[in-house]
Amino acid sequence: MTRLLTCLAFGLMFCNLPGDGQAAEKSTPPNFVVIFCDDLGYGDLGCFGHPSISTPQLDEMADEGQRWTQFYVGASVCTPSRAALLTGRLPIRNGMMSARRRVLFPDSKGGLPAHELTIAELLKKNGYATAAIGKWHLGHRSEFLPTEHGFDSYWGIPYSNDMDREKGFPNYRQKAAEDPHYFSPIEQYQVPIIHNKEVVEKPANQHTITKRYTEKAVEFIKGNREQPFFLYLAHNLPHIPLYASDSFLETSPRGIYGDVVTEIDHGVGQILDTLKETGLAENTLVVFTSDNGPWLLFDTHGGSAGLLREGKGATFEGGMRVPTVMWWPGTIEPKVQTELGTTMDLLPTFCSLAGVGIPEDRVLDGHDLSSLLKGETTESPRQDVFYWRSEQLYAVRSGPWKAHFITEGCYGIGPKKKVHESPELYQVEQDPSEKYNVAARHPDIVKRLVDLAEKHKASIEPVENQLTK
Ligand code: MG
């Protein structure tokens, strides 16, 4: 019955009822699962070259799917990056980016504005079941929670897991520097777990948070196998403070950071196994990625950007290029994908794959990657990346070329802000670590990137800032 109603919602385009056979199953609208980590660095997975973190499930997912080596986020810190993924728009367009407060805090009054359209809203209107599990960080007041933004349900910590901090506990940064296995008492961080709009636990028992998020995700998939769904699973970890459940603690030679990533990896395996067991694997696109680069301030408790420069908070590659794996057995060809993509591309890509129109009354910064995913083309429709920090455009990439107009180190540490009268220029395919400024040799390319940046900035309209309310 549910399937019948869904078919009515989608019209004849996708209408194939059970019993129509294998080919019919393939024409039902696809499910989408986004697994979004917090502060996981470009170099933190086995399949992205980490030498001592074990990620067998993600490695297998990458073997069966696509490992994207040049995939970016819309901002280098949590709140704006999440706004970008869910709306397909740069956060500078929806007020979710600020110089004074770079993310939302427990005393913030703002959030993702109601008029913004999320992936969940667009798909829900077209018959999808939708769930947000995990970190939200787009406004924790009632009017901004996921159930106000297109999600049928929500269960998770509404902001970062290091917030609502109590006094009288050891300094986490100092402890982290001393001990790669350290974890703090959960009472130090009085973060709540919210179910839809009600607080159901406080402080959240963060030791089991990754495990419980995975269990909720599996439960949602099993409960919605008869209709198309969009699952947004946003892990709070490996953002500090780090916690792992008993069965993962002290299992990784990398210390607690490795324990945490291995537990997330195990959860990915459980989700993919559930999709296989329920017969949904061949009709589900799973995207695994991270919201920004590693928080390098926390010694071994922070991740690694691998060969990329800097980390969380910065507009160097280490802040905004993230480890990404996409999986859809039978539809996307297994390969290493070196073309450009960003989290903002997910909205138009999912809409295209689901046969849902994209909003035409606003500027979208995403591109439809579906043809690239399916191998119908080898060139990404995305050729540019814009690197905003706070309310300023720091850098722009076009093809392999990246110009920095302003540079600044990562969150909490690193070089101070510097405005460059003459932009720095890097060829980031030949020089992914951004070591060799070649601006003097390529004035024509610098000029082209300056013009591109100016044209882009002219498309930004002033909006009310949500992070400084
Ligand atoms: Mg983050």
Side-chain angles (χ1 to χ4, degrees), residues 37-40 76-78 82 135 239 290-293 312:
C37 290
D38 197 355
D39 296 3
L40 181 77
S76 61
V77 289
C78 303
R82 285 149 208 276
K135 176 172 175 174
H239 188 293
S290 177
D291 70 331
N292 51 251
K312 173 176 178 170

Side-chain angles (χ1 to χ4, degrees), residues 92-340:
I92 192 71
R93 298 195 198 279
N94 45 39
M96 297 299 282
M97 191 156 219
S98 139
R100 190 157 66 79
R101 298 190 113 187
R102 296 190 64 192
V103 298
L104 291 164
F105 289 89
D107 64 349
S108 297
K109 296 184 174 59
L112 187 67
H115 57 80
E116 288 295 329
L117 287 170
T118 66
I119 298 173
E121 270 170 297
L122 294 165
L123 294 178
K124 183 180 164 72
K125 274 183 209 151
N126 287 274
Y128 274 68
T130 56
I133 296 167
K135 176 172 175 174
W136 179 238
H137 219 181
L138 294 174
H140 50 276
R141 288 162 71 109
S142 181
E143 67 269 31
F144 299 120
L145 284 169
T147 50
E148 297 288 328
H149 279 294
F151 290 100
D152 297 327
S153 64
Y154 173 58
W155 197 92
I157 298 173
Y159 33 67
S160 296
N161 63 330
D162 66 340
M163 293 182 171
D164 296 321
R165 199 171 342 173
E166 287 282 300
K167 292 198 175 76
F169 288 91
N171 178 288
Y172 189 91
R173 188 178 169 196
Q174 195 179 333
K175 285 286 187 185
E178 289 166 7
D179 182 3
H181 296 282
Y182 176 75
F183 57 84
S184 58
I186 57 163
E187 293 77 17
Q188 185 167 0
Y189 302 95
Q190 292 286 324
V191 290
I193 290 177
I194 291 182
H195 180 210
N196 294 335
K197 292 194 169 185
E198 303 298 323
V199 174
V200 292
E201 188 175 312
K202 184 179 163 72
N205 180 353
Q206 295 202 48
H207 289 288
T208 56
I209 200 71
T210 298
K211 181 171 179 259
R212 289 190 287 164
Y213 284 165
T214 297
E215 286 167 359
K216 296 276 176 195
V218 166
E219 193 183 308
F220 173 78
I221 293 168
K222 287 183 175 168
N224 288 281
R225 56 198 292 178
E226 297 294 327
Q227 66 184 106
F229 59 78
F230 168 50
L231 168 61
Y232 175 65
L233 166 58
H235 282 294
N236 275 92
L237 295 165
H239 188 293
I240 64 94
L242 301 175
Y243 298 94
S245 44
D246 285 347
S247 46
F248 287 89
L249 270 183
E250 307 222 357
T251 59
S252 171
R254 170 66 174 80
I256 191 168
Y257 190 89
D259 300 339
V260 167
V261 176
T262 302
E263 184 163 18
I264 289 171
D265 177 74
H266 179 74
V268 170
Q270 289 181 303
I271 288 165
L272 300 190
D273 284 349
T274 303
L275 292 168
K276 289 172 185 167
E277 286 157 18
T278 49
L280 298 173
E282 295 200 341
N283 202 32
T284 304
L285 170 60
V286 182
V287 179
F288 177 95
T289 190
S290 177
D291 70 331
N292 51 251
W295 204 349
L296 300 176
L297 182 65
F298 288 94
D299 290 70
T300 63
H301 286 232
S304 166
L307 81 174
L308 305 180
R309 184 168 170 183
E310 293 284 336
K312 173 176 178 170
T315 47
F316 287 106
E317 295 293 286
M320 292 182 61
R321 199 194 294 196
V322 286
T324 302
V325 181
M326 302 200 199
W327 180 89
W328 186 354
T331 296
I332 64 172
E333 179 201 357
K335 68 185 287 191
V336 176
Q337 180 56 268
T338 57
E339 287 289 302
L340 291 180

Side-chain angles (χ1 to χ4, degrees), residues 41-50 55 59 67-69 306 322-325:
Y42 187 79
D44 281 329
L45 304 179
C47 51
F48 276 78
H50 199 283
T55 53
D59 299 352
R67 178 157 57 88
W68 285 62
T69 60
V322 286
T324 302
V325 181

